[in-house]
Amino acid sequence: MSIRGRIFKACRKCRALVDRETIECPVCGSKEFSDEWEGVVVIIDPERSGLAKLLNIDKPGKYAIKVL
Ligand SMILES: [Zn+2]
């Protein structure tokens, strides 16, 4: 997937990646999104993922590593 493909936008609050048509973040309920983001991490089991803890993610899903 191309980072600059702009298929997804990232939630500014929790960094969840969602479809561009999404109005409200399914993870945290925020309505603020950014088109400028970098890196993708897929969290399957947040309880056991050190990366999830590092990024403060507690729900499974696809997240941007960095939201600009
Ligand atoms: Zn969110």
Side-chain angles (χ1 to χ4, degrees), residues 11 14 25 28:
C11 174
C14 72
C25 175
C28 73

Side-chain angles (χ1 to χ4, degrees), residues 4 9 12 14 35-37 41 50 56-57 60 63 65:
R4 297 287 172 200
K9 58 185 178 181
R12 285 189 186 278
C14 72
D35 287 328
E36 299 288 332
W37 52 272
V41 59
N56 264 324
I57 293 165
Y63 295 85
I65 291 171

Side-chain angles (χ1 to χ4, degrees), residues 1-4 8 15-17 37-43 51 55 57 61-66:
M1 180 170 46
S2 167
I3 289 170
R4 297 287 172 200
F8 300 108
R15 293 191 297 267
L17 289 176
W37 52 272
E38 287 177 2
V40 180
V41 59
V42 177
I43 302 295
L51 192 58
L55 296 171
I57 293 165
K62 190 160 69 247
Y63 295 85
I65 291 171
K66 194 166 147 191

